[in-house]
Amino acid sequence: AAKSAMRVTPLSGISGLPLLLANKEAYDRAPDAGVEVDEEGAVNINGEHFCAQQCLGAMLASMRRHAERATASAAPGAQTEISRWVLAAPPAVGTNAKAKLLDAAAVAGLGENVDVVDSIDAAASVYAPTHRAPAGSPPKKVLIVDVGYAFTSAGVYELPSEGAPVRKSLAHAVVGARDLDRELHKLLSDDLQKKHACKVELRTKAARRLMDEVVKAKKILSTIAQATVELECFGE
């Protein structure tokens, strides 16, 4: 049976870029340096410019080192070498972006043993082993929604009693991140009115503030399964 574990390292995200990309002396001088992105997608940190592949490569390299340390501490007799790296990207990501992802993988030192798969297919593969149909039964049909910060995808899959899940349909062009923002905003607005008699009017400061909190919550939900929305002094 396969076992999986998720570990989060602070240097895997955008907030860790100043330390990952700048030299230690520069980071010590300005540990809270802001990360700016120009119109061409280049990142500016303390006056130094880095392309997208360098930034993503730095984060992937941090993840690689973290994964290698984790496997090195495995139980005696367990496989400690990572033979293949699998990168999951949203289905909406095009060929050009996937090529840049492979460039970043090379920068990270992942070598040639790298696969780029659709993130929603990856989610279905992880979900299937513990939720597949019983032996002799028709395949289960499930809807899987992959919620990311920039992209949201939805797919219908059949989970047979044996073998890999089968994708029956996929939607990402019409199920965008902004659509999810609006639905979450409406859900919270209705909840506020029902529980606290607080009506959030459209195109008001309160509505914009609620949307900001929705976006923050969605960022959290793209990495973990639960998020809390806090609205201090919202009625003032």
Side-chain angles (χ1 to χ4, degrees), residues 56 88-98 101 117-120 123 144-155 170-181 184 215 217-223:
L56 182 55
V93 171
T95 303
N96 186 45
K98 287 183 179 179
L101 183 57
V117 300
D118 284 348
S119 58
I120 195 165
I144 294 180
V145 180
D146 178 23
V147 180
Y149 177 52
F151 299 101
T152 300
S153 306
L170 177 68
H172 60 78
V174 294
V175 186
R178 181 54 63 180
D179 298 296
L180 183 62
D181 290 346
L184 289 174
V215 172
K218 194 177 70 174
K219 285 183 180 180
I220 297 172
L221 290 171
S222 69
T223 56

Side-chain angles (χ1 to χ4, degrees), residues 3-4 8 45 64 73 75 89 100 104 106 117 140 151 181 216 223:
K3 292 184 179 180
S4 64
V8 178
I45 301 174
R64 174 182 59 79
S73 60
K100 291 183 177 180
V117 300
K140 283 185 178 180
F151 299 101
D181 290 346
K216 289 178 184 178
T223 56

Side-chain angles (χ1 to χ4, degrees), residues 9 25 30 41 49 55 74-75 85 91 124 135 162 180:
T9 167
E25 291 74 15
H49 294 277
C55 296
W85 303 89
E162 296 182 358
L180 183 62

Side-chain angles (χ1 to χ4, degrees), residues 79-94:
Q79 181 178 346
T80 58
E81 181 182 355
I82 299 174
S83 58
R84 197 148 198 91
W85 303 89
V86 181
L87 307 178
V93 171

Side-chain angles (χ1 to χ4, degrees), residues 130-134 137-142 157-161:
T130 54
H131 296 82
R132 63 175 69 255
S137 301
K140 283 185 178 180
K141 285 187 178 180
V142 299
Y157 288 79
E158 282 189 350
L159 308 183
S161 57

Side-chain angles (χ1 to χ4, degrees), residues 21 51-64 85 87 96-111 114 116:
L21 293 171
C51 67
Q53 291 92 321
Q54 288 175 299
C55 296
L56 182 55
M59 290 188 282
L60 289 176
S62 175
M63 295 178 189
R64 174 182 59 79
W85 303 89
L87 307 178
N96 186 45
K98 287 183 179 179
K100 291 183 177 180
L101 183 57
L102 289 174
D103 289 341
V107 171
L110 301 186
V114 179
V116 179

